[in-house]
């Protein structure tokens, strides 16, 4: 029976276990805790929205723009962009990065570490843009707040960076789950859009986080589905060609949205022009069609139940799409998924009504097409078909919709990618082309921290030592000797301990039993052997960070620094290129054995 010591349950032991690729139990614990934290943050954000809405909206409903006077709801967008311009754009550019794009950027280039200022800005900006009547969703702020809160937990207890990446995914999934009561969609969104990979080690903690996030939200808001829809069925298979046409049009609209939102021409305009245009355009449309304001979930529910007029559906399909894209291009940080669901539902409902006019006896209920439009638009813009399908299932609670849903989503995704050249909204927002998170080698190296592969058997020594001191150093059987230099400007060097041992043997043989000089010193920079120039790297770093740092040809290896204050810092190990290569190079044991056998036969024949 395995015996455990008290040291097995310390925080230091927990960190050390998380550095390995197989730390599944530890990651699951983090998933549970981060899910609870993120769920609480999401409840706080929704309560903040409701508290702000209670000041001037009917029944404190953040969606109740229709009940407001036309002049007031048209004035709100100008007030919102003014507040954003005065308070957000007076800060440094780095502090103005918010939302899902910021989450992916921090995960890609900063190992999942989030600045506190951006997190604080996201709270008030998320409230202002939604309650200010702009075409904005709450899921972008939710994902940023959740991912940063979960990552902050890991940063506070100084966890290795590979586990911070999983915590970001946990926070993202729990945020989506708590915001929409869609735990499965939260998991798929986190893996497909943010992490851009599917691995068992990430899946299980993310599932637990999403579950806990949903449970926390359900304790406050109940377990009701986001939208109530009547029982409907696809009916005749004649609808399938029309669904393909619907997906094709939605894919084109998705491409239009991405191209406008990424328009360099609009982004080159002065800030006051961009913000003013967003406020004026939104206010002008809102005078006649207040449904384009805010998140628009009430409009989605109405579209699913065939309760919207055709002119309102057209306004949601065209005006809300253009206003949302213009708001993004204008530099206002908003969530886009909520508005995209509205645009998709309106487009689908319009095609459903058109199909009912063309084939009165065969056409499916327009509500079916509204559901399909939601998923198709989300999947096409994000290039995340599986996340869109799971959102469709959990938002509507209609399993029969999945078959036509798969057809609509795939057609829309292919159209957006192939005909309009769009590779996904959030991938485009970080870097065009192959995203770093999509590179298999970097993904594999990001799952492990340097303590898992570093060489720990080392001793630190001065450059000049006596033979007796050299023998004392070798008593512990170190692999490396870290040579301390006379000044900090000179690079730290490492010498294989075997080189010193060989020199001592040759030295003793050369003496032939004679006593060595009393003042004899060994210069570790002069004895034969290869010396590696070292650079420091933190104990929390991942192998991907070490790999990128070793791309500098002057460096031979890295020494791993442990401790935070200068007086407490110590060298914990050395990591070389060979150690990293041994990690990601797989060798079939049978082939390796056969190769060794062949080599022994060749040696014996010679």
């Amino acid at each position: 029976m395995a015996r455990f010591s008290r040291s097995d349950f310390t925080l230091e032991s927990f960190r050390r276990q998380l550095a390995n690729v197989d730390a599944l139990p530890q990651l699951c614990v983090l998933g549970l805790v981060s899910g609870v934290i993120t769920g609480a943050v999401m409840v706080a954000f929704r309560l903040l929205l409701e508290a702000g809405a209670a000041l001037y909206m009917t029944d404190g409903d953040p969606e109740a723009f229709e009940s407001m006077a036309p002049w007031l709801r048209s004035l709100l967008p100008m007030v919102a962009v003014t507040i954003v311009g005065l308070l957000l754009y007076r800060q440094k550019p780095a502090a103005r990065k918010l939302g899902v794009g910021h989450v992916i950027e921090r995960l890609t280039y900063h190992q999942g570490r989030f600045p506190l200022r951006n997190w604080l800005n996201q709270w008030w900006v998320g409230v202002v843009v939604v309650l200010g009547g702009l075409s904005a969703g709450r899921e972008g702020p939710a994902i940023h707040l959740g991912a940063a809160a979960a990552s902050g937990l890991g940063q506070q207890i100084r966890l290795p960076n590979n586990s911070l990446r999983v915590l970001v995914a946990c926070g993202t999934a729990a945020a989506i789950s708590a915001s929409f009561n869609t735990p499965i969609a939260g998991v798929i969104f986190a893996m497909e859009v943010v992490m851009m990979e599917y691995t068992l080690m990430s899946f299980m903690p993310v599932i637990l986080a999403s579950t806990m996030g949903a449970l926390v939200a359900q304790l406050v808001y109940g377990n009701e589905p986001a939208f109530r829809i009547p029982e409907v069925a696809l009916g005749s298979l004649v609808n399938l060609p029309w669904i393909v046409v619907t997906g094709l049009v939605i894919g084109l609209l998705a491409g239009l949205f991405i191209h406008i939102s990424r328009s360099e021409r609009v982004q080159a305009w002065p800030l006051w022009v961009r913000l003013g245009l967003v406020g004026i355009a939104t206010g002008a449309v809102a005078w006649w069609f207040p449904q384009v304001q805010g998140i628009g979930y009430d409009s989605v529910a109405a579209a699913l139940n065939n309760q919207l007029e055709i002119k309102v559906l057209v306004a949601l399909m065209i005006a809300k799409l253009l206003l949302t894209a213009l708001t993004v291009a204008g530099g206002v940080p908003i969530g886009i998924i909520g508005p995209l669901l509205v645009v998709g539902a309106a487009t689908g409902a319009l095609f459903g009504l058109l199909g009912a006019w063309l084939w009165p006896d065969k056409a499916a209920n327009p509500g079916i097409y509204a559901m399909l439009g939601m998923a198709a638009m989300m999947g096409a813009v994000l290039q995340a078909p599986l996340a869109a399908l799971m959102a469709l299932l959990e938002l509507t609670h209609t399993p029969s919709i999945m078959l036509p849903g798969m057809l609509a989503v795939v057609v829309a995704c292919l159209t957006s990618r192939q005909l309009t050249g769009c590779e996904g909204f959030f991938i485009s927002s970080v870097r065009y082309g192959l995203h770093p998170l999509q590179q298999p080698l970097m993904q594999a190296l990001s799952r492990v921290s340097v303590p898992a592969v570093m060489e720990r058997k080392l001793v630190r020594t001065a450059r000049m030592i006596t033979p007796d001191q050299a023998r004392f150093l070798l008593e512990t059987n170190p692999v490396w000797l870290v040579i301390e230099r006379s000044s900090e400007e000179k690079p730290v060097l490492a010498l294989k301990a075997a080189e010193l041992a060989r020199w001592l043997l040759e030295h003793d043989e050369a003496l032939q039993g004679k006593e060595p000089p009393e003042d004899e010193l060994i210069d570790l920079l002069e004895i034969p052997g290869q010396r590696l120039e070292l650079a420091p790297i933190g104990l929390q770093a991942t192998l991907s960070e070490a790999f990128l740092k070793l791309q500098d040809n002057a460096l031979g290896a890295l020494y791993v620094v442990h401790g935070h204050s200068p007086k407490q810092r110590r060298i914990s190990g050395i990591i070389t290129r060979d150690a990293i290569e041994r990690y990601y190079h797989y060798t079939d044991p049978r082939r390796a054995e056969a190769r060794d056998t062949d080599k022994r036969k060749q040696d014996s024949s010679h």
Side-chain angles (χ1 to χ4, degrees):
M1 182 176 177
R3 302 181 67 178
F4 297 95
S5 63
R6 184 176 298 179
S7 62
D8 293 326
F9 300 96
T10 62
L11 185 56
E12 188 63 35
S13 174
F14 189 69
R15 296 191 191 106
R16 188 167 57 252
Q17 292 165 342
L18 282 170
N20 296 294
V21 72
D22 58 349
L24 187 57
Q26 293 78 16
L27 290 174
C28 287
V29 171
L30 291 177
L32 286 170
V33 177
S34 62
V36 173
I37 293 174
T38 302
V41 170
M42 292 304 97
V43 169
F45 183 65
R46 291 178 65 174
L47 290 175
L48 191 60
L49 282 174
E50 294 168 4
L55 298 177
Y56 57 91
M57 289 188 173
T58 305
D59 298 327
D61 181 8
E63 300 277 1
F65 293 98
E66 295 87 345
S67 63
M68 301 174 67
W71 67 269
L72 178 57
R73 65 177 180 242
S74 297
L75 180 63
L76 282 176
M78 286 301 300
V79 175
V81 295
T82 301
I83 294 174
V84 170
L86 291 177
L87 298 184
L88 185 64
Y89 276 87
R90 287 180 177 271
Q91 302 182 40
K92 296 179 180 179
R96 303 199 292 260
K97 297 180 179 180
L98 309 173
V100 182
H102 177 62
V103 172
I104 297 177
E105 178 188 353
R106 300 304 298 187
L107 186 67
T108 307
Y109 304 111
H110 303 277
Q111 304 301 320
R113 296 175 177 271
F114 291 82
L116 178 61
R117 176 179 289 187
N118 298 64
W119 190 71
L120 295 175
N121 282 336
Q122 183 65 90
W123 283 93
W124 68 264
V125 171
V127 172
V128 167
V129 296
V130 172
L131 298 184
L134 298 177
S135 181
R138 68 172 183 235
E139 74 294 322
I143 291 170
H144 182 182
L145 294 174
S151 174
L153 166 68
Q155 292 180 56
Q156 285 297 314
I157 57 179
R158 301 197 300 275
L159 297 183
N161 290 347
N162 64 321
S163 58
L164 290 185
R165 293 172 50 81
V166 178
L167 281 172
V168 170
C170 290
T172 299
I176 291 287
S177 177
S179 296
F180 304 106
N181 196 20
T182 55
I184 301 177
V187 173
I188 302 301
F189 182 92
M191 305 304 290
E192 192 172 27
V193 178
V194 177
M195 292 286 283
M196 300 185 194
E197 65 173 348
Y198 294 99
T199 62
L200 177 63
M201 292 302 156
S202 300
F203 246 128
M204 295 183 69
V206 171
I207 289 172
L208 289 173
S210 186
T211 302
M212 297 309 298
L215 287 175
V216 172
Q218 288 174 14
L219 288 175
V220 180
Y221 293 102
N223 191 25
E224 295 296 322
F227 307 113
R228 291 189 173 275
I229 58 174
E231 290 291 333
V232 291
L234 181 63
S236 175
L237 296 179
V238 174
N239 288 278
L240 293 181
W242 193 238
I243 289 173
V244 172
V245 174
T246 305
L248 179 66
V249 173
I250 289 178
L252 294 174
L253 290 175
L256 176 65
F257 171 83
I258 293 179
H259 282 298
I260 294 176
S261 64
R262 299 296 167 213
S263 173
E264 295 181 357
R265 180 179 299 179
V266 175
Q267 294 172 358
W269 294 345
L271 175 64
W272 67 270
V273 173
R274 286 183 279 137
L275 295 180
L277 181 61
V278 169
I280 292 173
T282 305
V285 176
W287 183 279
W288 290 280
F289 298 102
Q291 294 86 353
V292 302
Q293 293 185 286
I295 306 171
Y297 288 156
D298 55 343
S299 299
V300 171
L304 293 174
N305 289 276
N306 304 322
Q307 296 173 349
L308 292 180
E309 300 178 48
I310 292 180
K311 63 180 181 180
V312 175
L313 291 174
V314 173
L316 290 175
M317 180 181 73
I318 299 176
K320 191 168 181 68
L321 182 141
L322 295 178
L323 287 174
T324 307
L326 180 63
T327 304
V328 174
V332 183
I334 61 170
I336 65 166
I337 297 179
L340 289 178
L341 294 177
V342 177
V343 173
T347 306
L350 282 172
F351 272 82
L353 291 172
L354 181 57
W357 179 72
L358 293 174
W359 304 283
D361 299 330
K362 299 293 185 180
N365 189 297
I368 288 280
Y369 283 88
M371 297 181 210
L372 300 178
M374 291 167 51
M377 180 62 75
M378 176 181 171
V381 171
L382 303 182
Q383 285 297 306
L386 192 56
L389 287 170
M390 289 300 101
L392 173 65
L393 177 62
E394 292 185 294
L395 288 173
T396 63
H397 286 202
T398 308
S400 61
I401 200 68
M402 293 303 288
L403 177 61
M406 289 188 286
L407 182 60
V409 168
V410 169
V411 170
C413 288
L414 284 175
T415 301
S416 176
R417 176 179 287 270
Q418 301 300 325
L419 297 187
T420 68
C422 297
E423 298 185 359
F425 181 83
F426 295 119
I427 292 180
S428 302
S429 67
V430 179
R431 177 181 291 179
Y432 182 79
L434 184 62
H435 193 278
L437 289 180
Q438 295 173 309
Q439 299 173 9
L441 174 60
M442 300 309 291
Q443 284 183 347
L445 295 180
S446 296
R447 299 183 195 125
V448 182
S449 286
V450 293
V453 299
M454 71 182 183
E455 179 56 65
R456 301 173 184 271
K457 293 183 178 181
L458 58 87
V459 290
R460 300 176 68 173
T461 177
R463 171 182 175 178
M464 308 297 293
I465 59 175
T466 65
D468 289 338
Q469 290 173 330
R471 294 185 182 91
F472 179 76
L473 291 175
L474 296 175
E475 284 181 357
T476 57
N477 296 319
V479 176
W480 290 99
L481 303 176
V482 179
I483 305 172
E484 297 177 343
R485 309 302 298 278
S486 57
S487 65
E488 294 184 357
E489 289 75 17
K490 296 180 180 180
V492 177
L493 299 177
L495 175 70
K496 278 287 186 72
E499 305 285 5
L500 177 59
R502 184 180 300 111
W503 186 92
L504 285 174
L505 287 175
E506 295 175 353
H507 174 265
D508 292 343
E509 291 177 359
L511 289 176
Q512 296 180 351
K514 299 178 182 178
E515 289 293 328
E518 293 183 1
D519 57 350
E520 182 181 21
L521 292 176
I522 304 172
D523 188 346
L524 295 180
L525 297 188
E526 295 297 333
I527 67 174
Q530 182 184 10
R531 275 157 287 274
L532 301 181
E533 183 175 322
L534 306 180
I537 192 168
L539 187 68
Q540 297 168 297
T542 62
L543 290 189
S544 62
E545 294 176 82
F547 179 82
L548 292 174
K549 202 161 189 177
L550 284 172
Q551 296 305 302
D552 183 353
N553 292 328
L555 290 177
L558 303 171
Y559 64 91
V560 183
V561 180
H562 189 197
H564 295 273
S565 62
K567 293 183 178 179
Q568 295 178 339
R569 285 192 175 183
R570 64 181 187 273
I571 297 177
S572 299
I574 287 180
I575 183 166
T576 62
R577 287 189 179 90
D578 290 339
I580 298 176
E581 290 176 0
R582 283 196 300 271
Y583 169 75
Y584 67 79
H585 280 168
Y586 171 74
T587 301
D588 190 331
R590 293 171 296 180
R591 292 185 178 180
E593 184 178 355
R595 186 170 57 248
D596 293 340
T597 303
D598 293 341
K599 186 177 180 181
R600 285 195 297 267
K601 289 180 179 178
Q602 292 175 1
D603 293 341
S604 61
S605 63
H606 292 302

